[in-house]
Amino acid sequence: MTALHAPAPVPSETAGSRLGWALADSWTMTRRELARWARQPVQVVVGLVFPVMLLLMFGYLVGGGRGIQGEYVEFLVPGMLALTMAFGLESTMLAVTQDLNKAVVDRFRSMPMAPSAVLVGRSVADMLQSVLGLCVLLGVGSALGWRWHDGSASFLAAVGLLLLFRFAMLWLGIQLAMVAGRPEMVQAVQILVWPIGFLSNAFATPESMPGWLGAVVEWNPMSATATAVRDLFGNPAAAGGSWAAEHAGLLAVLWPVALLAVFFPLAVRRFARLSR
Amino acid sequence: MTEVTDVTEVTDAIVAAGVHKRYGEKRALDGFDLTVARGTVHGLLGPNGAGKTTAVRVLTTLLRPDEGQVRVAGLDVRTEGRGVRRRIGLLGQHAALDEDLSGRQNLEMFGRLHHLGARRAGERADALLERFGLLDTGRKPVKQYSGGMRRRLDLAASLITGPAVLFLDEPTTGLDPRGRAEVWSAVRSLVGGGTTVLLTTQYLEEADQLADRISVVDGGRVIAGGTADELKARTGGDRIDVVLRDADRLADGARILARTAGTYAVRTDVDRRLISAPVTDRMAALTETVRALHADGIEAEDIVLRRPTLDEVFLRLTGGDSDRGDDHQQEKQREGRQEKQREGRQEKQREQEVRA
C-alpha cells in the first residue's frame, strides 16, 4: 500500500518531449470521446441518421424542380453535405458546454497535461464523426441516384473543402460555447443556426429568391462551399452570375480560413484564461 | 536515499502569503495567509462563502491570484504551474469524473494524462480500484455508481501519481454517514505515507477527526489557527447545559455550575430556565453537577453535554480577537450570527417542548 502514495518520478522535459506529450495527451482526449461513442452507440447513430432524414424529406417531400436543371437529387446532395457540416457547429457547442460545466475539466486543468489537449482532442473526435457522417450521406445519396462525374481527384478535393468548412465551424462552436457558458444558451444559438443553414443555396437557387435575400444567400460561407463542391462533383450548380457565385471555389477556401484565423486563437486564448 | 528532489527539501508543503482574489466587488480572498508543514493534515474550517474553495483553486493553479505569493511543494503556482500540477492531487467538491466512462477507463485516462504511459496507467488503475474496493464495479459506467463509490473513485483519481500534496475540498459534503466514514478512513490511511493533505470542511467534527492543525477561515482570510484542542480551548470547548424545573432556583444553579465546571463563564437564560457553562473534563463535570444539584434539592429537567457548534466557534473567534480591529462589517456579521444562534436556540427549545 505504501507504493500507492510513493511519489512517482517526475519526468524531465524538453521542447521536443513537450510536443510529443501534447500529441499524446490530445490522442488520450480523442480516445475518451471514442470510448464514449462505444458506450452510447444509439446517440452516434441518431446523429448520423438525422441528416439522412433531412435528405429524404427534402428529396421526396419538398423536392422537385426549384429551378434546377437535371435531377434535384444531384443538386440536393452536395447542399445537404454542406448543411451537415454547418450543423456540426451545434454538436461541438453542446459537447464543449457540457464539458466545461463539469468538474472533470477542473481535474484536467489541475493535471500536468498539455492544456491544448482538451480542445484538440475534441476537434479530432468531431472531425472523425464528420468523416463518418459524410460517408453515410454519400452512400445514401448514391442509393438515391446522386453521382460524381469528374474523377477521384475532384471528389477528394470536394470532401476536403467540406471538412475544411466543418473545421472552421468546429472552432467557431468551441468559441461560442465558451462565451455562452451554459447548455441552455446553446439552445438559443441552435435557433440561429437553422436560418443561417437554410439561408443558403443548399435546397434552392438564389435566383428563386427576392434580390436582397439572394445576395445574402450567395455570400453565406455555406453557399460558397456547396457551390464549389457541386462544381467539383460535376453536379448542377445554381446558375448565378454574381462575383460570389463565380468565385465559389476561392470563397470556399477563404471563408473557412478567415473564420479559423479569428476563432482558433480566440478559443485557445479563452480556454487558457479560464483561470482568471 | 542520496538523491533528493526539490519537493523533499522544503519543509513547508504550502506557503501562501497575502493572497487576494477579487470577483468584481466581492473579495473572495482578502489577505489569505497559510503555512502547512510537509506530511501533515491541515484543515480549512469555515462556513459557505468564507473563501475555502477559492483558496483551494488558487493553490491548485486553477485560479490566478490577483496579489500575493503562493508556493506549493516548493514551487510558485504562477510561474511553475506545470511543476505544481505534477505534484498535486485534487478532490473537488463535485465528482471530477467522466460519467459515461467506466471507473477503470477514468483512472486509466487520468494516468495517461499524468504521462505514466499506457502500460503503467493500466496497472495503476487496477491497483487503485483494488485499494478502494472498486474492482467489482470497475467496468461499469460511473453514472451507475452510488455517491460513496463515486467519491472513492474520485479520491483514487486524485492519487494517480502519489501526489506530494493532496487537496480535498469538502470531501464528504452530500454523503450519508456511511459514505463519510468510508472517505475518512481512506484519508487516514494516506497520511502515513507522507502525503501532505489540505482539507476544507464546514464541519468542526470532520476537521477534529482528520486534521493535525486547523485554520478557521472567514471573509477570505484566516482568522484563527491551531490544533483542534487549542481552538477548542479558545472557544470554550465542550459545554454543559442544564435546564431547571424551577426558574427561581436559576441563581443557585448557576453558582453550583460555576463550582462544578470550574469557571465563571456561566450563562443564564431565564426564558428557557437554562444554565450553561464550558467544561474541560466532561464526565467529571457531569457527575459533579448532577450530585451537587441533587444535594441542594434543585430539580433538573435536562442535562446535556455538547460540543460547541460551528456558530459558537465563529462567534468566539470573531468576537474574542480584539487586536484584529473590528470594523463595521465584522460587527454586522457577528450580529447576524448571534441572530442565527438565537433562532437555533428557539428551534431547539421548541423541540424540547415537543419532547416534554
Side-chain angles (χ1 to χ4, degrees), chain A residues 1 4-5 7-8 10 13 18 21 25 31-32 36 39-40 103 106-112 275, chain B residues 57 62-64 82 85-86 90 96 98 100 102 105 114-115 124 131 139 154 157-158 161-162 193:
Chain A
M1 204 168 71
L4 280 181
H5 26 73
V10 174
E13 217 168 49
R18 226 172 202 217
W21 281 123
D25 291 344
R31 278 169 43 110
R32 169 188 180 219
R36 284 170 130 175
R39 293 213 171 248
Q40 299 168 313
D106 279 352
R107 166 143 292 148
F108 290 141
R109 292 178 55 238
S110 74
M111 298 203 308
S275 58
Chain B
R57 291 180 72 82
L62 292 178
L63 209 58
R64 265 175 179 275
R82 204 181 250 244
R85 288 194 282 276
R86 213 175 267 128
L90 169 64
D98 192 320
D100 298 322
S102 73
Q105 280 176 318
H114 264 291
H115 302 164
R124 186 72 180 163
R131 159 74 182 74
R139 309 265 164 189
D154 212 7
S158 57
T161 51

Side-chain angles (χ1 to χ4, degrees), chain B residues 108-307:
Chain B
E108 205 207 332
M109 170 176 70
F110 293 131
R112 281 168 180 264
L113 293 174
H114 264 291
H115 302 164
L116 292 183
R119 192 178 53 81
R120 276 179 63 208
E123 288 167 4
R124 186 72 180 163
D126 289 329
L128 284 166
L129 286 175
E130 193 182 350
R131 159 74 182 74
F132 285 94
L134 293 166
L135 267 186
D136 304 342
T137 45
R139 309 265 164 189
K140 280 190 193 159
V142 170
K143 56 183 158 200
Q144 292 176 16
Y145 281 29
S146 72
M149 283 163 60
R150 208 174 286 225
R151 213 64 187 136
R152 273 181 347 225
L153 182 65
D154 212 7
L155 187 57
S158 57
L159 295 174
I160 287 283
T161 51
V165 187
L166 177 63
F167 294 88
L168 306 174
D169 193 7
E170 302 201 1
T172 61
T173 297
L175 289 186
D176 57 15
R178 206 179 115 195
R180 184 169 298 185
E182 283 173 5
V183 171
W184 283 2
S185 80
V187 172
R188 279 204 198 92
S189 73
L190 285 174
V191 180
T195 305
T196 307
V197 180
L198 183 76
L199 161 100
T200 78
T201 181
Q202 298 189 44
Y203 308 115
L204 188 61
E205 191 200 351
E206 185 160 279
D208 198 2
Q209 287 271 344
L210 297 175
D212 301 317
R213 292 184 75 79
I214 298 170
S215 292
V216 181
V217 186
D218 192 32
R221 68 176 86 178
V222 174
I223 58 166
T227 64
D229 286 342
E230 285 166 6
L231 279 179
K232 273 190 197 155
R234 282 184 68 182
T235 57
D238 294 348
R239 297 191 74 89
I240 184 164
D241 287 357
V242 183
V243 178
L244 300 183
R245 184 147 290 167
D246 187 354
D248 294 340
R249 305 295 307 268
L250 275 172
D252 296 335
R255 215 171 299 125
I256 288 171
L257 197 57
R259 181 160 46 80
T260 55
T263 175
Y264 294 109
V266 178
R267 283 210 307 253
T268 306
D269 183 338
V270 182
D271 293 343
R272 297 173 56 200
R273 303 192 309 278
L274 172 84
I275 46 178
S276 170
V279 293
T280 39
D281 187 341
R282 293 160 54 91
M283 291 321 291
L286 180 64
T287 49
E288 276 296 299
T289 306
V290 171
R291 207 183 46 74
L293 288 173
H294 184 72
D296 275 29
I298 301 174
E299 279 187 276
E301 242 170 36
D302 201 0
I303 300 185
V304 192
L305 277 174
R306 62 177 177 85
R307 297 186 175 277

Side-chain angles (χ1 to χ4, degrees), chain A residues 73-191:
Chain A
V73 71
E74 288 261 302
F75 177 81
L76 184 61
V77 167
M80 275 310 304
L81 292 171
L83 189 71
T84 306
M85 298 299 103
F87 279 179
L89 176 73
E90 292 178 56
S91 58
T92 299
M93 268 190 79
L94 201 61
V96 173
T97 39
Q98 281 173 349
D99 250 3
L100 290 184
N101 277 283
K102 282 180 190 154
V104 69
V105 169
D106 279 352
R107 166 143 292 148
F108 290 141
R109 292 178 55 238
S110 74
M111 298 203 308
M113 62 187 281
S116 58
V118 175
L119 297 184
V120 173
R122 154 67 40 211
S123 61
V124 173
D126 279 5
M127 289 308 286
L128 285 177
Q129 196 186 21
S130 298
V131 169
L132 206 61
L134 281 183
C135 291
V136 170
L137 215 49
L138 287 170
V140 174
S142 300
L144 294 178
W146 166 85
R147 294 287 178 271
W148 78 88
H149 308 282
D150 290 347
S152 49
S154 296
F155 173 84
L156 288 177
V159 170
L161 281 182
L162 287 165
L163 290 176
L164 177 66
F165 179 59
R166 173 69 182 97
F167 197 58
M169 289 296 107
L170 203 154
W171 286 93
L172 174 64
I174 290 175
Q175 170 66 9
L176 286 177
M178 282 193 285
V179 172
R182 296 191 312 275
E184 302 90 84
M185 289 295 292
V186 176
Q187 290 187 333
V189 176
Q190 273 178 334
I191 292 169

Side-chain angles (χ1 to χ4, degrees), chain B residues 1-6 8-9:
Chain B
M1 219 162 79
T2 45
E3 263 190 46
V4 279
T5 65
D6 51 347
T8 49
E9 279 165 9

